[in-house]
Short mmCIF file of all heavy atoms in Angstrom, two decimals:
data_model
loop_
_atom_site.label_atom_id
_atom_site.label_comp_id
_atom_site.label_asym_id
_atom_site.label_seq_id
_atom_site.Cartn_x
_atom_site.Cartn_y
_atom_site.Cartn_z
N CYS A 111 -7.10 -10.71 -2.58
CA CYS A 111 -7.40 -10.24 -1.19
C CYS A 111 -6.51 -10.95 -0.25
O CYS A 111 -6.49 -12.18 -0.31
CB CYS A 111 -8.98 -10.71 -0.79
SG CYS A 111 -9.32 -10.35 0.88
N MET A 112 -5.68 -10.21 0.53
CA MET A 112 -4.72 -10.85 1.39
C MET A 112 -4.89 -10.39 2.82
O MET A 112 -5.43 -9.24 3.03
CB MET A 112 -3.36 -10.62 0.88
CG MET A 112 -2.92 -9.13 0.72
SD MET A 112 -1.32 -8.98 0.02
CE MET A 112 -1.62 -9.50 -1.73
N GLU A 113 -4.50 -11.21 3.74
CA GLU A 113 -4.45 -10.80 5.10
C GLU A 113 -3.64 -9.63 5.27
O GLU A 113 -2.42 -9.59 4.69
CB GLU A 113 -3.88 -12.01 5.97
CG GLU A 113 -4.22 -11.88 7.46
CD GLU A 113 -3.34 -10.83 8.16
OE1 GLU A 113 -2.16 -10.64 7.78
OE2 GLU A 113 -3.77 -10.28 9.15
N GLY A 114 -4.01 -8.53 5.88
CA GLY A 114 -3.41 -7.27 5.92
C GLY A 114 -2.60 -6.74 7.12
O GLY A 114 -1.89 -5.86 7.04
N SER A 115 -2.85 -7.51 8.22
CA SER A 115 -2.29 -6.92 9.54
C SER A 115 -0.69 -7.17 9.38
O SER A 115 0.04 -6.40 9.96
CB SER A 115 -2.80 -7.63 10.73
OG SER A 115 -2.59 -8.98 10.86
N ILE A 116 -0.35 -8.27 8.86
CA ILE A 116 1.23 -8.56 8.67
C ILE A 116 1.77 -7.53 7.73
O ILE A 116 2.89 -6.98 7.99
CB ILE A 116 1.46 -9.97 8.34
CG1 ILE A 116 0.95 -10.95 9.39
CG2 ILE A 116 2.94 -10.19 8.08
CD1 ILE A 116 0.95 -12.48 9.00
N ILE A 117 1.03 -7.25 6.66
CA ILE A 117 1.55 -6.30 5.71
C ILE A 117 1.62 -4.90 6.34
O ILE A 117 2.58 -4.13 6.23
CB ILE A 117 0.69 -6.35 4.43
CG1 ILE A 117 0.93 -7.44 3.62
CG2 ILE A 117 0.90 -5.07 3.62
CD1 ILE A 117 0.01 -7.80 2.51
N SER A 118 0.57 -4.62 7.13
CA SER A 118 0.55 -3.26 7.75
C SER A 118 1.72 -3.08 8.76
O SER A 118 2.34 -2.09 8.84
CB SER A 118 -0.81 -3.15 8.49
OG SER A 118 -0.91 -1.81 9.09
N ALA A 119 1.95 -4.21 9.54
CA ALA A 119 3.03 -4.14 10.51
C ALA A 119 4.34 -4.06 9.79
O ALA A 119 5.29 -3.41 10.19
CB ALA A 119 2.98 -5.36 11.46
N THR A 120 4.52 -4.80 8.72
CA THR A 120 5.66 -4.82 7.91
C THR A 120 6.06 -3.38 7.43
O THR A 120 7.23 -2.93 7.52
CB THR A 120 5.64 -5.80 6.83
OG1 THR A 120 5.60 -7.05 7.36
CG2 THR A 120 6.90 -5.71 5.81
N ARG A 121 5.08 -2.79 6.77
CA ARG A 121 5.38 -1.40 6.29
C ARG A 121 5.58 -0.46 7.27
O ARG A 121 6.42 0.55 7.14
CB ARG A 121 4.31 -1.10 5.23
CG ARG A 121 2.89 -0.81 5.68
CD ARG A 121 2.56 0.64 6.32
NE ARG A 121 1.21 0.99 6.21
CZ ARG A 121 0.68 1.82 7.04
NH1 ARG A 121 1.32 2.19 8.09
NH2 ARG A 121 -0.56 2.16 6.83
N THR A 122 4.91 -0.55 8.46
CA THR A 122 5.17 0.43 9.57
C THR A 122 6.54 0.25 10.13
O THR A 122 7.21 1.21 10.37
CB THR A 122 4.13 0.06 10.77
OG1 THR A 122 2.81 0.35 10.13
CG2 THR A 122 4.37 1.01 11.86
N ALA A 123 6.98 -0.96 10.33
CA ALA A 123 8.36 -1.28 10.93
C ALA A 123 9.38 -0.85 9.90
O ALA A 123 10.38 -0.22 10.18
CB ALA A 123 8.48 -2.72 11.17
N ALA A 124 9.21 -1.12 8.59
CA ALA A 124 10.15 -0.75 7.53
C ALA A 124 10.28 0.79 7.47
O ALA A 124 11.28 1.35 7.39
CB ALA A 124 9.72 -1.28 6.20
N SER A 125 9.13 1.42 7.58
CA SER A 125 9.15 2.90 7.60
C SER A 125 9.85 3.50 8.70
O SER A 125 10.68 4.44 8.63
CB SER A 125 7.68 3.47 7.59
OG SER A 125 7.59 4.83 7.84
N ALA A 126 9.69 2.91 9.98
CA ALA A 126 10.33 3.38 11.14
C ALA A 126 11.85 3.16 11.08
O ALA A 126 12.77 4.02 11.39
CB ALA A 126 9.81 2.66 12.40
N ALA A 127 12.36 1.94 10.55
CA ALA A 127 13.72 1.69 10.35
C ALA A 127 14.32 2.58 9.39
O ALA A 127 15.44 3.02 9.51
CB ALA A 127 13.91 0.23 10.07
N LEU A 128 13.59 2.86 8.29
CA LEU A 128 14.06 3.70 7.22
C LEU A 128 14.35 5.13 7.72
O LEU A 128 15.29 5.79 7.54
CB LEU A 128 13.17 3.72 6.09
CG LEU A 128 13.36 4.73 4.88
CD1 LEU A 128 14.55 4.21 4.10
CD2 LEU A 128 12.23 4.83 3.99
N ALA A 129 13.26 5.62 8.50
CA ALA A 129 13.35 6.95 8.99
C ALA A 129 14.55 7.12 10.04
O ALA A 129 15.28 8.00 10.05
CB ALA A 129 12.07 7.39 9.76
N ALA A 130 14.71 6.06 10.86
CA ALA A 130 15.84 6.11 11.89
C ALA A 130 17.14 6.13 11.16
O ALA A 130 18.04 6.76 11.62
CB ALA A 130 15.69 4.92 12.69
#
Side-chain angles (χ1 to χ4, degrees):
C111 174
M112 59 185 68
E113 198 284 330
S115 69
I116 296 172
I117 289 172
S118 187
T120 293
R121 64 85 152 150
T122 299
S125 169
L128 177 70

